[in-house]
Every structure is written in structure tokens, then in C-alpha cells.
């Protein structure tokens, strides 16, 4: 929990940047999503995606003045992860073991984008590094596909067997609808785990060699731009009068340089 306090302190510092002279380029907001979870294990498990997973938290973004660069940002979300494992062949046996994992995730990402329809629509991609910390209670369920869940128990954490901290990648894309200082975003994001849920140390050496968790979420976010300034990035529209004037000035300056060199 001590490391979690450090993460929260870092987020407070990041949000405090909104008080700088560039605060018109800063957005803060909330976001949440729904999706599924799964595991990549070796030796390979017979698994099935687990739906009814959700994520939600707060977010900060900073926009560069170069339009296509987009923005950089960081989120802090409470996220549900987990997996569903079948014993034996799924077509022969419907007996399963399902485990849920409660996680605090912190993706640091880059979001290149383009504006459309007089800057009322923003289309973007997302790519970044995701940090994770497993917290709270983890629940284990046993059952069958035909009979449903037959028993439920709390998973007992063991520091020799289980990892609390991990990392991975976050990637996706979506669009934002701009309404003045407010932006409504809808996107899809895939969290690809690089760290194992279980260790192979000590008495738990028979654990699988790999136990990496993945998530796919469809998200909705609502953001508010700090400061009263508008979008600073110049439009990419080549017919824009301001861009035409700038190109004309550059052309004249280039001709003047050629005359001087002669």
C-alpha cells in the first residue's frame, strides 16, 4: 500500500501542472469501460474470455501545439482482471475454475490524432506503457457451464506464489466529440500483460512458467479543458487562409535569399 501512496502522489503532481501558463492545453476527466479478461499461460490452459469486467478512474492529458503529435496522458483506474480455466478439454468437460483479480492500473500513453469537421471531431490512436498493482480481495469460483457456480471462496495471497506488481502495454483507438471546453471520448483499449500473475519460486515451483493477464475494454470518457484558451494546434487544412499566407511568406523569403546569393 505504501507504493500506492507514491503513485497517488505522482498523479497529484501531474494534475497540478494545470496551473502552469500552458493550462489551456491540459485536460482532466473521468473514464470508465466494460469488457473482458483472459490469461496467456504456458503450459497452455484451456480458457475462455471472462466478460462482465469493468474499469473506471480519473485521467489527465496534455496537448502539444503540433496537431498530428496529439497528446500525452496518464490514467489511474480501478480495473477488474481475471481468467476462466477449464479442466481437461473444453469440449469434453465443462468443469471450470474462475478467478477475479482487482487491480489499480496506471497507463502512460501517447495519443496521435487528427481533427475533423471544423475541430468538432478528434480521431486518435493510443499506445503506451501500463503499470499495475493487484489490490483488495481476489475471488475464486468453481462450477460447470451446465450447473453454474457451485462454490465461491476468497483467494489467499501468498508472497511466494503471487505477484502484486506488474506491467504491460496499452494500445487502441477511438474518437472524441468536442463541445467547447468539454470532450466526450469513446474508444477501445487493449491491455497486454508482460508480467506473470504467479511466480515459480520456492514451494510453488510447479506453477506455470507464464501467467500473463490481458483485458479488452470499450470506454467512455468525459474531459474538461483547463483554462479558457481554445485549441492551440493550427489546422491541417491546406486551404486555410492563415496557412496560405504563411506559405506565401516562406516563398517570398526563399526568393529573396536566392537574389542575395546571386
Amino acid at each position: 500500500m505504501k507504493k500506492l501512496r507514491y503513485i497517488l502522489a505522482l498523479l497529484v503532481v501531474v494534475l497540478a501542472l494545470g496551473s502552469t501558463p500552458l493550462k489551456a492545453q491540459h485536460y482532466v476527466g473521468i473514464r470508465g469501460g466494460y469488457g473482458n479478461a483472459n490469461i496467456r499461460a504456458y503450459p497452455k490452459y484451456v480458457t475462455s474470455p471472462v466478460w462482465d469486467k469493468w474499469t473506471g478512474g480519473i485521467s489527465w492529458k496534455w496537448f502539444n501545439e503540433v496537431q498530428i503529435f496529439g497528446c500525452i496522458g496518464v490514467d489511474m483506474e480501478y480495473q477488474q482482471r481475471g481468467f476462466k480455466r477449464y479442466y481437461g478439454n473444453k469440449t469434453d468437460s465443462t468443469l471450470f475454475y474462475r478467478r477475479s483479480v482487482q487491480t489499480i492500473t496506471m497507463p502512460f500513453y501517447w495519443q496521435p490524432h487528427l481533427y475533423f469537421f471544423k475541430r468538432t471531431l478528434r480521431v486518435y490512436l493510443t499506445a503506451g506503457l501500463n503499470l499495475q498493482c493487484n489490490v483488495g480481495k481476489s475471488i475464486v469460483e468453481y462450477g460447470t457451464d451446465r450447473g453454474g457456480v457451485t462454490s465461491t471462496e476468497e483467494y489467499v495471497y501468498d508472497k511466494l506464489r503471487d505477484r502484486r506488481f506488474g506491467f504491460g502495454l496499452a494500445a487502441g483507438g477511438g474518437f472524441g466529440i468536442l463541445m467547447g471546453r468539454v470532450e466526450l471520448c469513446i474508444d477501445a483499449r487493449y491491455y497486454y500483460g508482460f508480467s506473470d500473475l504467479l511466480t515459480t519460486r520456492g514451494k510453488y515451483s510447479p506453477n506455470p512458467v507464464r501467467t500473463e493477464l490481458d483485458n479488452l475494454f470499450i470506454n467512455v470518457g468525459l474531459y474538461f479543458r483547463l483554462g479558457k484558451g481554445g485549441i492551440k494546434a493550427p489546422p491541417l487544412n491546406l486551404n486555410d487562409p492563415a496557412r496560405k499566407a504563411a506559405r506565401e511568406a516562406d516563398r517570398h523569403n526563399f526568393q529573396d535569399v536566392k537574389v542575395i546569393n546571386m
Side-chain angles (χ1 to χ4, degrees):
M1 296 303 293
K2 186 176 181 181
K3 291 187 178 181
L4 280 179
R5 289 197 293 268
Y6 292 150
I7 294 175
L8 287 171
L10 175 62
L11 187 63
V12 170
V13 171
V14 169
L15 293 177
L17 292 174
S19 61
T20 66
L22 289 176
K23 64 182 180 180
Q25 298 296 111
H26 294 253
Y27 283 71
V28 293
I30 57 175
R31 56 184 279 117
Y34 172 87
N36 66 33
N38 210 340
I39 190 171
R40 286 175 289 111
Y42 183 82
K44 190 175 181 180
Y45 290 163
V46 179
T47 65
S48 177
V50 181
W51 289 89
D52 293 331
K53 299 298 182 183
W54 60 271
T55 182
I58 56 178
S59 181
W60 165 86
K61 297 187 293 188
W62 178 80
F63 284 76
N64 190 275
E65 293 188 23
V66 179
Q67 180 186 163
I68 199 167
F69 176 88
C71 68
I72 57 175
V74 58
D75 301 335
M76 177 172 281
E77 301 182 38
Y78 177 80
Q79 190 174 98
Q80 292 183 331
R81 302 192 299 159
F83 62 94
K84 181 179 181 180
R85 174 190 179 183
Y86 286 91
Y87 292 98
N89 191 315
K90 183 179 176 182
T91 59
D92 300 330
S93 172
T94 61
L95 180 65
F96 66 78
Y97 165 94
R98 183 165 59 204
R99 180 182 167 192
S100 65
V101 181
Q102 315 305 317
T103 303
I104 298 294
T105 64
M106 199 169 183
F108 296 81
Y109 55 86
W110 172 44
Q111 227 173 52
H113 67 205
L114 289 173
Y115 292 111
F116 297 93
F117 303 114
K118 298 182 179 180
R119 302 193 182 196
T120 59
L121 178 68
R122 185 173 75 93
V123 178
Y124 57 84
L125 299 175
T126 300
L129 174 67
N130 184 42
L131 304 181
Q132 305 154 349
C133 177
N134 298 329
V135 298
K137 295 181 179 180
S138 183
I139 303 300
V140 173
E141 297 173 326
Y142 298 89
T144 66
D145 282 345
R146 297 186 183 93
V149 176
T150 57
S151 65
T152 301
E153 61 185 51
E154 182 179 340
Y155 184 88
V156 179
Y157 173 81
D158 188 310
K159 65 181 180 180
L160 292 177
R161 177 187 58 200
D162 305 290
R163 284 198 172 103
R164 287 285 191 188
F165 296 92
F167 68 97
L169 298 179
F175 63 92
I177 301 173
L178 300 166
M179 301 167 284
R181 295 167 65 181
V182 176
E183 181 180 25
L184 175 65
C185 292
I186 300 175
D187 61 42
R189 188 179 294 181
Y190 192 85
Y191 295 87
Y192 184 89
F194 269 140
S195 55
D196 295 317
L197 179 66
L198 303 175
T199 71
T200 56
R201 296 176 297 177
K203 62 181 179 180
Y204 295 108
S205 57
N207 275 354
V209 177
R210 288 175 49 195
T211 49
E212 300 152 328
L213 298 181
D214 297 340
N215 279 90
L216 173 64
F217 289 108
I218 303 298
N219 307 282
V220 176
L222 187 64
Y223 294 87
F224 182 77
R225 185 174 67 236
L226 302 179
K228 297 182 179 180
I231 298 172
K232 290 189 174 183
L236 288 181
N237 181 7
L238 297 179
N239 295 320
D240 181 74
R243 294 184 66 88
K244 284 185 176 180
R247 291 199 304 272
E248 188 68 18
D250 290 340
R251 187 175 66 83
H252 285 306
N253 291 337
F254 178 72
Q255 290 175 346
D256 291 344
V257 170
K258 289 177 63 177
V259 171
I260 292 175
N261 290 337
M262 292 175 61

